[in-house]
Amino acid sequence: MALTGMQIYKLLPKTNCKDCGFPTCMAFAMQVAAKQKAITDCPHLSEEAKAQLSEASAPPMKLVKIGPENNAFEIGQETVMFRHEEKFHRPCGIAARIGADLSDEDALKKVERANNSVFERVGETLSVKLIAVELDGCSNPVDRAKKCAEKSKLPIILISEDEKVISEAANSLKDLKPLIYRANTKNIDAFADIATKNSLPLAIFADSLEEMADLSDKAKNKGVSDIILSFEGKSIGDTLRKLTIARRAALKKTFRPLGFPTIVKIDEDTPEKETVVGSIFAAKYAGIIIIDSLEPWVLLPIMTTIQNVYTDPQVPNTVEAKLYEIGNPDENSPVMFTTNFSLTYFSVEAEVERSKIPAYISVVDTEGLGVLNAYAGDKISAEKVVKTLKEQKVAGKVKHRKLIIPGLLPVFRAEIEDTSEWKEVIIGPENAREIPAFLNKIWKK
Ligand code: SF4
């Protein structure tokens, strides 16, 4: 929470020496509170005041990194309860659970599958972000952890409640900065010592939020700076309630013991339930979810939820307004236009690719609005389309003068034909998924 000018003033030397460039300490404090000056511009701050100010000005939720510096997964430092208030900053990461019940061979196959669980959606790459290795129950837990780490570049989570196992695995993989998952009320002292000794992040778990806060303080007092709160309620609703209360306590009350990012291990008996429950916690408010199934139909709904929740609601998702060549179009290829809303563009692009007919797509700048919204909001007109086609020099690319327009804008047809060189305007489908059949029907290769 931001400090007031008076709170900052109380920590200043109050000598009015002017070395900061301001006539008084109070004037300087007001500038710092208004974020116009850094507190470090006062050269006479005591170490004690510096420590207090850094604690007080720390973000309400800590940023935690898992993995080595050049390849770390970052979570935390969220600032709002609701996306529309600003935006959510660090997308929830999916961790693939590598069960202790798997043979070494199957475990490594699953790691490989997690590595390759990469998808493209509306111009973004979606992927599994972490490998969560269960150690308790493995015949050689440290060897299992090392083999999984060697097989993947993804950051590692070490799952065990056994102090000896965690100590050896953490020591062996400390350069990879794995997350220790997880300390509880019984082993907190030992686990905190291991995390501190190896400079590793530590997940903590307790049945109640009060105990969680106590554990967090204990870990912090033992020198653990990177803490992740692990949640697992009696039911989905109970877990969701705890996640919400913890986030509110951190962001609204600056309650430091709960001012950390979160992790939820999904424990459902079917992949279908895993998808639903994973999506729920990814939306609210898990920083990491650990799941078992890596089927694309399990991963994609969760990834899509994450992608949607973590886009900035105040910035339209756009693609550059220019002429795109899909496949290797030539002078006989079809020409069409669409808007620069990325979901619209990528839907059209994917369907044109699926048609196997190379084509030109002219993208009109509609300030990130889809076809109908752009039309309703006066962001697209026949005149603007003609102007865009001219600017993109589309006519020079093809011999014909046929233009396919979105089926939702049939009213543009007459005006484009009357006012431009595009004398044969063809009304395309209303829905992008109909493009392949439409193109194959009307366009002779
Ligand atoms: Fe006050 Fe520090 Fe500025 Fe001197 S330099 S006037 S002590 S704030």
Side-chain angles (χ1 to χ4, degrees):
M1 188 183 288
L3 292 174
T4 64
M6 190 52 76
Q7 286 169 323
I8 295 166
Y9 173 71
K10 283 180 185 166
L11 295 165
L12 294 175
K14 304 183 200 69
T15 58
N16 299 333
C17 72
K18 304 185 179 60
D19 286 352
C20 57
F22 289 88
T24 62
C25 293
M26 177 58 92
F28 176 72
M30 292 304 168
Q31 290 296 310
V32 174
K35 300 196 187 315
Q36 299 299 312
K37 284 282 159 188
I39 189 73
T40 46
D41 287 353
C42 168
H44 308 297
L45 268 186
S46 68
E47 288 306 315
E48 190 190 345
K50 275 185 199 162
Q52 278 189 49
L53 280 166
S54 100
E55 171 75 16
S57 59
M61 184 190 291
K62 193 166 189 318
L63 177 73
V64 174
K65 296 180 183 181
I66 303 168
E69 195 57 42
N70 58 356
N71 186 35
F73 176 75
E74 296 185 353
I75 36 168
Q77 228 170 62
E78 295 296 340
T79 51
V80 290
M81 292 296 293
F82 303 105
R83 177 176 172 264
H84 63 263
E85 293 174 300
E86 186 196 345
K87 66 173 184 176
F88 293 163
H89 293 267
R90 288 176 182 77
C92 170
I94 297 176
R97 182 172 78 88
I98 311 299
D101 56 333
L102 297 176
S103 66
D104 272 356
E105 190 186 343
D106 286 344
L108 295 182
K109 272 188 194 159
K110 191 164 181 187
V111 172
E112 188 63 26
R113 189 158 190 205
N115 294 341
N116 295 328
S117 293
V118 180
F119 309 90
E120 290 292 325
R121 184 174 180 271
V122 290
E124 284 184 26
T125 303
L126 312 176
S127 60
V128 169
K129 301 292 185 195
L130 305 110
I131 302 287
V133 190
E134 278 184 355
L135 302 177
D136 296 344
C138 291
S139 54
N140 189 338
V142 178
D143 186 56
R144 167 64 64 91
K146 278 162 80 174
K147 280 182 175 157
C148 289
E150 279 164 15
K151 189 82 178 166
S152 181
K153 287 195 171 65
L154 298 175
I156 300 289
I157 300 173
L158 300 171
I159 303 179
S160 171
E161 295 196 353
D162 185 314
E163 177 189 335
K164 187 164 176 290
V165 167
I166 277 294
S167 176
E168 288 178 14
N171 186 49
S172 169
L173 296 182
K174 64 183 172 197
D175 290 344
L176 297 176
K177 299 282 173 209
L179 169 67
I180 297 175
Y181 179 100
R182 59 191 184 179
N184 55 36
T185 48
K186 290 184 190 137
N187 62 23
I188 181 68
D189 288 333
F191 272 45
D193 284 342
I194 294 166
T196 305
K197 184 178 153 207
N198 296 289
S199 303
L200 300 182
L202 175 67
I204 58 172
F205 170 75
D207 282 326
S208 71
L209 286 171
E210 291 76 12
E211 284 178 309
M212 185 86 93
D214 285 346
L215 283 192
S216 165
D217 276 341
K218 274 187 186 166
K220 205 169 162 193
N221 291 337
K222 281 196 158 270
V224 183
S225 56
D226 289 341
I227 295 169
I228 296 182
L229 310 177
S230 170
F231 288 91
E232 195 176 295
K234 297 181 195 77
S235 64
I236 297 170
D238 187 42
T239 304
L240 201 54
R241 188 181 66 85
K242 286 176 175 161
L243 282 162
T244 306
I245 293 173
R247 178 137 166 158
R248 190 173 293 135
L251 300 190
K252 299 291 182 194
K253 306 284 182 195
T254 323
F255 183 59
R256 298 287 180 199
L258 296 180
F260 296 98
T262 57
I263 185 167
V264 179
K265 186 157 162 256
I266 310 295
D267 195 14
E268 297 296 327
D269 51 6
T270 67
E272 290 84 354
K273 284 190 201 163
E274 219 175 19
T275 306
V276 174
V277 176
S279 298
I280 290 170
F281 293 134
K284 226 171 186 180
Y285 286 108
I288 297 172
I289 54 168
I290 302 176
I291 65 168
D292 189 43
S293 177
L294 296 179
E295 294 297 334
W297 57 267
V298 172
L299 291 173
L300 268 169
I302 303 175
M303 289 174 170
T304 304
T305 302
I306 294 170
Q307 190 182 26
N308 288 337
V309 168
Y310 282 84
T311 50
D312 186 341
Q314 292 165 61
V315 177
N317 265 338
T318 60
V319 294
E320 189 184 348
K322 64 174 190 179
L323 184 66
Y324 290 82
E325 298 188 359
I326 313 301
N328 288 309
D330 58 25
E331 57 190 13
N332 297 310
S333 297
V335 175
M336 59 193 77
F337 77 84
T338 189
T339 77
N340 72 335
F341 175 42
S342 58
L343 194 56
T344 301
Y345 170 75
F346 285 111
S347 301
V348 172
E349 184 207 66
E351 296 300 340
V352 171
E353 272 180 6
R354 205 159 65 84
S355 77
K356 306 261 187 285
I357 296 180
Y360 295 100
I361 304 177
S362 166
V363 169
V364 181
D365 183 359
T366 56
E367 299 175 29
L369 294 179
V371 174
L372 275 186
N373 284 342
Y375 182 58
D378 223 9
K379 301 294 180 195
I380 194 167
S381 62
E383 187 186 349
K384 189 168 184 179
V385 171
V386 170
K387 187 166 173 265
T388 301
L389 292 167
K390 261 199 191 126
E391 285 169 355
Q392 294 173 355
K393 300 185 174 57
V394 185
K397 296 275 184 183
V398 290
K399 281 197 299 193
H400 63 82
R401 289 296 176 260
K402 295 177 184 172
L403 175 68
I404 300 169
I405 68 173
L408 294 169
L409 297 175
V411 290
F412 283 12
R413 182 183 191 170
E415 190 177 337
I416 292 175
E417 284 179 345
D418 289 349
T419 61
S420 77
E421 60 208 302
W422 301 94
K423 294 300 177 195
E424 191 177 337
V425 172
I426 304 164
I427 298 170
E430 290 189 4
N431 199 306
R433 69 168 176 267
E434 294 157 14
I435 287 175
F438 171 81
L439 276 183
N440 277 288
K441 187 173 166 199
I442 64 125
W443 208 263
K444 303 277 180 245
K445 287 186 209 177

